[in-house]
Amino acid sequence: GVSHKLGMSECDDEVVREIDVYMSDMTQLHLLQFPLRPVYAAPPNAKSARFKPKHRKLELNVPYNPAIFAADMPPTGTSQTLCSSRLDHNTFLAAGVMRDGAIHITPVQEVLQLRPSFDGLAYPTEIIEAMSDEENGEAGHADSKQPLQQVHMRRKENERSEASRLNSYTYAKTKEENEPWVDLSVHTIDSEETEQKFESMFYQTEDDVM
């Protein structure tokens, strides 16, 4: 143990406090991550949300910040959609809160990472075509003496394995798209509904002490 490595015996490692631990399962807790936002930024102020329970897919509707768009490339609409992807975790995650000298633990059911969906952005066709023409022009004037490049060869799929892979993806994607959305209510951190959810993270009986 650590105490032995530090030259300490178990008798020297004094227990200074004992804390009762309660395990709560009264509410389903999801951890939302926003990997593209700086750590110092506040979470986005979502105006609406919807969820697919079977596929664990979440969408948040967040108002646009006009300051981040150029004048000639405005967004279509007034908000953007943040779409989630599931993050597999091989460890136990939980949220713990202290009250009256005891700690109450609520397991985290899912970890969802949310990133912007750019389907609603307007990119003028002429800008895309200009970028393509510029790239083609640079390629045409490139020096013919190109350095040698490493090439990786991959064995070609046979028709059966390729069809099986595509069908499997198409089947899974179709099932996800066919699942109806469930509209969720969005509450501010100081709302009565949020306070009720917070209270559900506490057990009130002594029978649940670990």
Side-chain angles (χ1 to χ4, degrees), residues 33-37 44 50 57-64 68-69 74-85 113-123 173 176 181:
Q33 297 179 341
F34 303 89
L36 300 184
R37 297 177 66 88
R50 58 182 187 171
K57 186 173 183 179
L58 175 68
E59 284 190 357
L60 300 181
N61 184 267
V62 181
Y64 279 126
I68 66 175
F69 292 95
T76 57
T78 59
S79 62
Q80 74 171 163
T81 299
L82 300 182
C83 297
S84 72
S85 58
Q113 291 190 343
L114 289 106
R115 295 176 173 85
S117 171
F118 296 101
D119 294 340
L121 291 179
Y123 290 99
K173 192 66 176 177
E176 177 181 314
W181 288 101

Side-chain angles (χ1 to χ4, degrees), residues 185-188 190-199:
S185 299
V186 179
H187 304 286
T188 60
D190 56 351
S191 67
E192 182 179 351
E193 290 81 2
T194 301
E195 179 64 25
Q196 291 175 356
K197 277 294 182 182
F198 180 72
E199 288 298 323

